[in-house]
Amino acid sequence: MLHRRLFAVIAIATALATSACLDDTKSAPTGKGSTSTSSTVAAPLQNRRADNGAVVQQNGLNGSGELKIVNGNSSDCAIVVTSGDPKSPQATIYVQGNSEATLSGIAGSYFVYMKYGTDWDQAALGFTRDQEFSKFDDVFDADTEWEITLQPSIGGNASTSDVPSF
């Protein structure tokens, strides 16, 4: 089997070299690192994750509010706490699948947005694959300690809505 593979590589290389020699209308490649053949190899998929409970973005945690997140899903998520635009949050906390974490220091009234997905890109503050975006419909306030469970449940008392990517 090894000999067949080696032979195929030699045969292909010989065929390429022969066709390049026979076709004198083609110019030789120029420039450092140039080659006469190209191949595209797909990069392996990455599955990067932040640490569970890591505050991956912070722009104003200075209050006394606390939010406990119980992620009962197998997908990781990033929870965004903001008083308005989810692109300008007070903070974003990363919660791995089937884990829980608590975000402290929340100020004022706020909304809770969620990003779910695979392969966390810290520089982009988002997932690269299987992305889903949603938000809790209710407004939260920092005067109350809240606990949210990220798993659909019969008899649950909070509704969510899908939102555009952020």
Side-chain angles (χ1 to χ4, degrees), residues 78-131:
I79 301 298
V80 174
V81 172
T82 181
S83 58
D85 185 359
K87 294 178 183 176
S88 299
Q90 283 188 43
T92 303
I93 185 170
Y94 192 93
V95 185
Q96 294 181 352
N98 298 310
S99 298
E100 59 184 63
T102 301
L103 180 63
S104 300
I106 304 168
S109 296
Y110 60 94
F111 297 95
V112 176
Y113 286 79
M114 294 145 301
K115 298 179 185 184
Y116 291 95
T118 304
D119 185 34
W120 178 253
D121 182 349
Q122 179 61 36
L125 293 172
F127 294 99
T128 64
R129 297 189 315 279
D130 308 321
Q131 301 174 54

Side-chain angles (χ1 to χ4, degrees), residues 5-161:
R5 288 184 186 165
L6 182 59
F7 175 75
V9 171
I10 293 171
I12 291 169
T14 304
L16 289 172
T18 305
S19 68
C21 292
L22 295 176
D23 186 1
D24 55 6
T25 62
K26 293 182 182 176
S27 61
T30 59
K32 189 174 184 178
S34 297
T35 60
S36 62
T37 61
S38 65
S39 62
T40 304
V41 177
L45 294 177
Q46 296 184 44
N47 289 310
R48 298 169 288 179
R49 302 170 83 187
D51 291 336
N52 187 60
V55 177
V56 296
Q57 181 182 27
Q58 181 176 328
N59 295 323
L61 286 176
N62 57 12
S64 60
E66 192 169 276
L67 176 66
K68 180 178 179 182
I69 303 108
V70 179
N71 185 359
N73 297 307
S74 59
S75 297
D76 290 0
C77 69
I79 301 298
V80 174
V81 172
T82 181
S83 58
D85 185 359
K87 294 178 183 176
S88 299
Q90 283 188 43
T92 303
I93 185 170
Y94 192 93
V95 185
Q96 294 181 352
N98 298 310
S99 298
E100 59 184 63
T102 301
L103 180 63
S104 300
I106 304 168
S109 296
Y110 60 94
F111 297 95
V112 176
Y113 286 79
M114 294 145 301
K115 298 179 185 184
Y116 291 95
T118 304
D119 185 34
W120 178 253
D121 182 349
Q122 179 61 36
L125 293 172
F127 294 99
T128 64
R129 297 189 315 279
D130 308 321
Q131 301 174 54
E132 294 180 37
F133 303 88
S134 59
K135 76 179 265 291
F136 279 94
D137 295 329
D138 295 326
V139 177
F140 294 73
D141 66 272
D143 295 331
T144 305
E145 290 183 8
W146 293 93
E147 179 176 314
I148 57 174
T149 301
L150 306 177
Q151 182 177 7
S153 61
I154 297 173
N157 59 359
S159 61
T160 60
S161 299

